[in-house]
Amino acid sequence: MNNGFESKIVAFCCHYCAFAAADLAGVLRLKYPPDLRIIRLPCTGKLDTLFLLKAFEKGADGVLVAGCLEGSCHFISGNLRAKKRVLAVKNLLERLGIEKERLEFFNLSSAQGERFAQIAREMTERIAKLGPLRSSGRCPYDRG
Amino acid sequence: MPSTDATGALLVVGGGIGGIQTALDLADAGFFVYLVESGPAIGGKMAQLDKTFPTNDCAMCMLSPKLVEVGRHPNVQIITLASVESLSGHPGAFKVSLRQQPRYIDIQRCIACGRCIAACVYQEVKFPSEFNVGLGKRKPVYIPFPQAVPLAAVIDPQTCIFFKSGRCPQGCLKACERQAIDFTQQEKLLELDVGAIVLAPGFEPYDARLSGEYGFGRCANVLTGLQFERLLSASGPTMGKVLRPSDGQAPKRIAFIQCVGSRDLRHQSYCSAVCCMYATKEAIVAKEHDHQIEPTIFYMDLRAYGKNFENLIKRAQEEHGVRYIRSMISQITESSKSKNLLVRSYAGGANGRSPLQEEEFDLVVLAVGMRPHRQGQELARRLGIELDEHGFAKTLASNPVASTREGVFVTGAFTGPKDIPETVIQASAAAAAAGKLLASVRSTRTQTKRYPQESVPDSAPRVGVFVCHCGSNIAGVVDVKAVAEYAGSLPGVVHSENVLYTCSQDNLKHMKEVIQEKQLNRVVVASCTPRNLEALFQDTIREAGLNRFLFEMVNIREQCSWVHGDQPERATEKAKALVRMGIAKARELEPLTLQTVPVNPNALVIGGGLSGMTAALTLAESGFETYLCAEGELSAKARAHPKLRLYTDATLKKCAGFAGNFSTTLSTPQGEEHLAHGVVIVAREAQEFKPRAYLYGEDARVLTQGELEQRLRLGRVSARTIVMIQCVGRDEGRPYCSRICCGQALENALALLAEDPSRQIYVLFREMMTYGLSEKLYRRAREQGVVFVRYDEQNPPTVQRESEGLKATVRDVQYGQELLLEPDLVVLSTGVAPQREANEELGQKLKVPLDAHGFFVEAHIKLRPVDFASHGIYLCGSAHAPGSTEELVAKAQAAAGRAAILLSKTHLEAGGVVAIVEAEKCTACLTCLRECPYGAIFINSEGLAQIEAVKCQGCGICAADCPAKAIQLRQFEDRQELAMLEELLDVALQRVNA
């Protein structure tokens, strides 16, 4: 499944929903590949575009951002701001020659442990198909 | 009045959302609370719900933080598996005895790891799970649900083999690494001294087996609404997949049957008030889960009377294709082979349709109603409070949370069918009323913890790392020794060790010793989720003299051992990476100080109607100096109180400041008045809408319901034939349901008939919104001969003036006939409309939001119904949402109660995880000002953005949006996050290796 390489996937998760969903996935003992590592934020609204780019600059093979369901953000509108930023960065990635599929935004509620595990699986599979970031040809960071 | 021996502790009975909110409000307002729950965990019915209407928010997401908060509150003691035995004493000084059933598990020791469950002699789950309403199964030893508080296992002696036969190998005892299981526990009797009692026993769903025609209990694929809720839940028995119980197949055609057990003289004559909306929600959510599903809702009257309820129905119809059929169900039968269900309904004979219809469905969901909880009945008997004819607690409209016994308050669905926001409002109202009674003994039973002076880390980071085994929960998968060793090798780490249970009392003590011994100035715990225990560890390091923000928690259980059990090596690698990340962040942590801001204990209430008067009096009687800014005349009876200062004909000119410290200028006929206060309550009312239609204002024989009510009071109605038209003005810019008009019309109709029973009254309506207990009015009106004619909104009635009198026509939808009526009096139900312009003006001055119709908008529709998003400002009154007298009084009491929480504190703590502006980088572009959801940012006298720490909620939206990178969110600063990111991606490691 991992296509011969262990990918590095950064998951920026909001405290109230996505992070809680990851906890529930654990409580339910659901299995997903260990490629993904979570950085907790109070709200995805805190996530700045620079950090998304930094993650790729520093070698992340994939980045996912997971916030509350739309309309249910603990901080009213943070997830909507984050979604916009993720869309903007996707476009930037394309212009940099990085597949925009390496970055994705997800909405999920804290009760969706199963969905969190599924997102982790999906994202890992997707990155496995794309291969390591540095092999993607046109990437300006590919100095090898 | 309470006597001089009053005690500042209270008893709250019932651990559902109502009881939890009451407990939190009281504990936050300076009282000690015993929260008693009959089951093994708090959470109530809300915990079982998947989503909540009308926003379809996730129920558990909203509830779970509340569960944790009340579970950790230093002034709340949760007592599970307990019930009230008896009550003696008097208001202010009651003695309560409780009987607590044994749990057979020591809550203090249990860590909910589930090993006892795995080791149970029953290898398979066997007994119906209460939490999953029988759809899922559990063992005799079980954890009520994953987010349960207290989070501990429980043994059910009814099904446990050991209790039944004594012959059980007791694998659980051996499996438990914490010696938490204790089969010798006995029933306990507890005696408590409390000043007042709040009863929140809630409701139970109607037992659908009693209505045999629906086939519940006989047909496998007939479920109740609550069961269906569990099917929809991602953590339910099918993991959120909608599957038929009979064959596990995905159903396509789902029928929802309304009014099961409600509005039914054989069972419960009242309307359960929530079913129309919950069925609509369930239909939409089911459709969202599986697009194949075709939901059909069979209903009698569609009662979407609350704020934004109608929008949800519209969305269900237009976006999700939910079919609504007005009909009554005569029978549901099951096909023996397919287990499909044949629903036979009676839908009237309009438009040449056969009145009896039959249709086949794959699954039927019964929208069962609410009935008062059995335990509530028993409680009422033991406590000597009166119930109404249905078994709900008796209350007065003027004090909807007071029972018939002084000092005993009632709240939530115990007083009648209610949805979540109504329950939360009543919960806060009950807390306000009980708090008012005990105002003189506030803060006498609560405890404030004292901490040693914090040392300021002046040297380089000295990080201590504690890697938890969690018994075998982590250590069984992750090589925790290797992780601890690895952590010890990382820069800045001066101490690293393994601990069996980091959260155990003995380890917490050990941690404090190590902090002092090794002069640690940063602490990292690698164990379970920070969502449960972060606060505990922060508190521990604070006890050791460290600033609590010098702590970082790494989750190697939920995020590692529990999900990567099949790949122990990679799990260990990941655990190392996570710990490395945590240490990197810890090195960058800084102590954060909280500034304390004194609280001005006075209140300002805006609005001189029923709500304003109620809120102001509640606060004054609770001991707070209150200013009531009555805009214009007082419309409610003013009562004098030494703590209440009245400003008639005053308007708010300006208001500045923040929670705890507002300063306001009022314009009064006597000149300007400057007030300093700690809170603001917006308590404006909306007014009866004055329409332009139906000759209103042109013909003296056309009145509004409000005008009729006045005339009735004066005994000046002579008309014999009266036509009432409902929903007038809904196409004149008032598109929402006003909730109160149907009830008001029927009260007037009954009063007219009481004067003269020979009067002929016609009510022309769209939907009869006599929700909850007001269904009684509808029934009585029909019994007394009021003629109800339903019209279609596309085809509204007409009223003409002719020489011989008024003529009204209406097309009766039920029979498809045009009716011609000749009334002497036409009465229009016009609903209520907020004064949009005035509200907009006030909204701008206070920086609080309004909706499209001009109603004020609360912070959260479900759980913060009387708070504005801005801290320190609260709302009630019909300018928030229309409501009956009883509902408005409860809402005003609730707003006063919420305000009292803040006013009861001498100081507020501000700061900590808040955003700060680096002045030299700020270009005053105003981006942050626009994006802040809390209005916490302003431009200071130097022309730069500044963030009011008291208002900041710590979301970090401004920090991310600032184009100049001039804003940092403390504890989540760029360099701290970057340090984690670099470690995650091994960048730092590569640098070392290179």
Side-chain angles (χ1 to χ4, degrees), chain B residues 686-821:
Chain B
Q687 275 66 38
E688 185 174 59
F689 182 73
K690 303 289 176 194
R692 289 186 295 268
Y694 296 116
L695 303 173
Y696 179 77
E698 294 168 36
D699 192 305
R701 292 165 293 182
V702 181
L703 303 176
T704 64
Q705 291 288 356
E707 290 159 356
L708 172 64
E709 207 172 288
Q710 279 176 356
R711 288 207 192 178
L712 271 167
R713 229 176 281 143
L714 301 170
R716 280 206 211 130
V717 186
S718 54
R720 311 224 7 103
T721 305
I722 298 125
V723 167
M724 295 184 173
I725 306 176
Q726 301 305 106
C727 293
V728 174
R730 292 192 59 180
D731 14 313
E732 283 184 54
R734 193 188 61 73
Y736 49 87
C737 170
S738 287
R739 173 179 190 123
I740 54 165
C741 340
C742 285
Q744 187 188 23
L746 298 190
E747 268 173 10
N748 283 344
L750 290 169
L752 285 166
L753 290 175
E755 272 186 11
D756 179 358
S758 70
R759 276 175 172 148
Q760 190 61 52
I761 302 178
Y762 299 88
V763 177
L764 318 184
F765 71 103
R766 289 191 198 172
E767 291 288 354
M768 245 11 241
M769 298 292 185
T770 44
Y771 60 93
L773 303 181
S774 67
E775 174 73 10
K776 181 168 58 186
L777 296 171
Y778 191 20
R779 198 180 69 243
R780 275 186 19 217
R782 278 176 299 168
E783 282 166 2
Q784 295 186 25
V786 174
V787 178
F788 287 88
V789 182
R790 194 158 59 80
Y791 73 86
D792 186 323
E793 57 178 291
Q794 309 303 333
N795 221 339
T798 63
V799 175
Q800 276 111 34
R801 183 165 37 188
E802 288 179 15
S803 51
E804 60 272 36
L806 292 173
K807 288 242 156 56
T809 60
V810 59
R811 189 172 173 81
D812 184 327
V813 183
Q814 191 75 9
Y815 300 102
Q817 302 283 330
E818 187 97 9
L819 290 183
L820 177 65
L821 304 167

Side-chain angles (χ1 to χ4, degrees), chain A residues 6 8 19-20 23 29-30 32 35-37 40-41 45-46 48 51 58 72 75 81 85 110-111, chain B residues 57 61 113 234 529 531 534 555 559 563-564 570 574 577 931 934 955 960-961 965 972 974 982 986:
Chain A
E6 287 171 12
K8 289 204 158 39
F19 193 86
D23 279 348
R29 310 296 200 274
L30 305 173
Y32 59 82
D35 303 49
L36 167 141
R37 274 136 213 208
R40 176 168 65 133
L41 298 170
K46 163 71 182 71
D48 133 11
F51 259 81
K58 301 213 177 271
S72 308
F75 295 105
R81 301 291 310 150
R85 294 188 204 122
S110 73
Chain B
D57 274 9
C61 302
C113 66
T529 174
R531 287 174 60 248
E534 188 174 43
N555 185 353
Q559 284 178 26
V563 284
H564 309 316
R570 288 198 71 197
K574 179 170 170 181
E931 295 301 337
Y934 303 99
C955 64
D961 270 333
K965 310 275 340 136
F972 293 91
D974 287 349
E982 288 198 338
D986 297 342

Side-chain angles (χ1 to χ4, degrees), chain B residues 266-285:
Chain B
R266 294 171 305 164
H267 306 289
Q268 296 154 176
S269 57
Y270 54 85
C271 155
S272 288
V274 297
C275 327
C276 285
M277 295 314 295
Y278 86 61
T280 297
K281 169 199 72 181
E282 287 179 354
I284 293 177
V285 177

Side-chain angles (χ1 to χ4, degrees), chain B residues 328-482:
Chain B
M328 288 171 85
I329 305 300
S330 62
Q331 201 180 27
I332 294 175
T333 47
E334 184 185 58
S335 144
S336 56
K337 222 159 107 198
S338 66
K339 302 287 175 194
N340 286 351
L341 301 147
L342 199 62
V343 174
R344 180 180 288 197
S345 62
Y346 175 83
N351 309 324
R353 217 171 105 105
S354 156
L356 269 182
Q357 298 285 325
E358 275 188 354
E359 196 174 337
E360 198 176 77
F361 290 90
D362 303 321
L363 187 74
V364 167
V365 180
L366 305 180
V368 291
M370 292 182 172
R371 46 165 297 133
H373 205 290
R374 225 166 309 189
Q375 284 163 3
Q377 315 292 295
E378 186 56 29
L379 260 177
R381 197 180 58 75
R382 291 188 185 166
L383 269 54
I385 64 166
E386 288 175 36
L387 302 176
D388 72 6
E389 72 265 35
H390 309 294
F392 293 112
K394 254 191 198 169
T395 57
L396 294 173
S398 56
N399 193 353
V401 292
S403 77
T404 51
R405 179 167 179 180
E406 201 196 343
V408 179
F409 300 89
V410 287
T411 187
F414 188 35
T415 67
K418 265 173 201 65
D419 62 8
I420 295 167
E422 290 293 327
T423 301
V424 171
I425 287 170
Q426 272 214 334
S428 289
K436 191 173 83 175
L437 179 76
L438 300 175
S440 63
V441 283
R442 198 189 291 275
S443 305
T444 54
R445 286 287 305 276
T446 49
Q447 287 160 3
T448 24
K449 204 167 162 181
R450 297 198 183 281
Y451 297 93
Q453 181 79 31
E454 282 177 13
S455 57
V456 184
D458 48 357
S459 55
R462 294 178 61 80
V463 184
V465 183
F466 298 84
V467 180
C468 188
H469 286 242
C470 195
S472 58
N473 280 291
I474 298 171
V477 175
V478 172
D479 183 349
V480 284
K481 286 217 158 53

Side-chain angles (χ1 to χ4, degrees), chain B residues 81-95:
Chain B
L81 294 168
S83 56
V84 176
E85 278 289 295
S86 64
L87 175 71
S88 60
H90 52 266
F94 287 118
K95 271 204 187 310

